[in-house]
Amino acid sequence: MFTNIDHMAICVKDLNESIKKYENELGLSYSYREIVNDQGVEIAFFESKKINIELIQPLTTINPVHKYIEKKGEGLHHIAFQVDDIEKSLNELKKRQFSLINHSPRNGTNGSKAVFIHPKQFGMLIEIVQNKGEV
């Protein structure tokens, strides 16, 4: 079902500060920045040949990402796996009775579609993503 790890998402309090830190200390440069209004976050994406890094900053205090940072601090939030067909993968997850946060694909970053598996199932949040070029 999964073709690859798409990205690892990291919650941060200050996106500008974190971008500088990832660039200066890790030698990465981010590809793009985007506000995802329906999730109430702003993201910065660092692309690499193997695994991409997504920094996530909540836009409000009434937000699951903000609550996550308050409870656990900054750090790894979720791992996203790529799929070729989000609808087919979603149907398979439902058939296998996965604990899903959303039961239909939602808009993700850069034109992607995403479904999230509840963190109780694997001990952390898992995102299933079909990228724009594959949609």
Side-chain angles (χ1 to χ4, degrees):
M1 179 182 341
F2 305 136
T3 59
N4 198 6
I5 293 177
D6 184 76
H7 65 269
M8 295 174 46
I10 300 165
C11 293
V12 299
K13 293 179 182 176
D14 185 322
L15 197 56
N16 290 326
E17 182 180 302
S18 296
I19 288 170
K20 289 177 188 173
K21 185 175 184 176
Y22 277 70
E23 286 182 318
N24 294 336
E25 295 178 26
L26 295 178
L28 301 174
S29 60
Y30 77 99
S31 314
Y32 64 92
R33 192 171 178 156
E34 181 179 346
I35 292 176
V36 184
N37 286 317
D38 66 334
Q39 295 180 32
V41 297
E42 183 173 9
I43 63 102
F45 224 84
F46 296 79
E47 293 180 343
S48 75
K49 291 180 183 179
K50 299 281 183 182
I51 298 176
N52 301 317
I53 303 292
E54 176 185 55
L55 301 181
I56 309 170
Q57 174 187 295
L59 295 174
T60 67
T61 56
I62 307 169
N63 177 295
V65 174
H66 180 268
K67 291 176 186 172
Y68 181 92
I69 291 172
E70 289 295 308
K71 184 176 179 181
K72 298 186 177 190
E74 294 180 301
L76 184 63
H77 182 257
H78 68 268
I79 295 176
F81 292 94
Q82 289 177 356
V83 296
D84 292 328
D85 184 330
I86 192 80
E87 292 292 342
K88 183 178 178 182
S89 297
L90 178 58
N91 288 335
E92 179 65 23
L93 294 172
K94 287 178 180 178
K95 187 171 95 175
R96 293 169 59 191
Q97 300 182 338
F98 274 64
S99 178
L100 302 172
I101 291 177
N102 53 308
H103 294 275
S104 61
R106 64 170 62 162
N107 293 329
T109 61
N110 201 26
S112 66
K113 297 288 182 186
V115 173
F116 290 88
I117 299 171
H118 198 282
K120 289 181 182 174
Q121 184 141 10
F122 292 102
M124 66 174 302
L125 186 64
I126 303 283
E127 179 181 9
I128 309 304
V129 63
Q130 180 180 341
N131 290 314
K132 182 179 181 179
E134 300 159 355
V135 177

